Amino acid sequence: MSAQFRPLTGEQPFTYTREHAATVNRRMFSPFGPYGAVLKKLTMPPHTLFHSRMDAGVTAILGALEATADWAAILAELDGLGPPATELGAQAAGFRAGRA
């Protein structure tokens, strides 16, 4: 399993670590990593480049915070496939229900 997807497909709850974040970002974005030859020739549209940079940044922040959560449940909630996974998710669901 790719380290990139471990927070969503691995054992839950998952704790981001600095090591995990560094591994993911090095593997996905380093010109010297396994995808380096592709990255050196790749021309991305601006919106895709922005998304990639946001992904790298959020991964680094979660690693620095050593954030722990059931990330698979949070994703299911955000995709509308599962119930609220956190207190904030429950509050947001209540807010949306009150506006319906």
Side-chain angles (χ1 to χ4, degrees), residues 32-87:
F32 306 108
Y35 305 111
V38 174
L39 291 173
K40 289 175 185 175
K41 296 180 181 183
L42 188 65
T43 302
M44 285 197 249
H47 66 279
T48 303
L49 180 60
F50 177 76
H51 179 267
S52 295
R53 288 181 178 171
M54 287 296 299
D55 188 35
V58 170
T59 298
I61 290 168
L62 292 173
L65 293 172
E66 296 186 346
T68 300
D70 185 337
W71 303 106
I74 292 171
L75 177 62
E77 172 191 342
L78 294 174
D79 284 345
L81 302 173
T86 65
E87 177 60 32

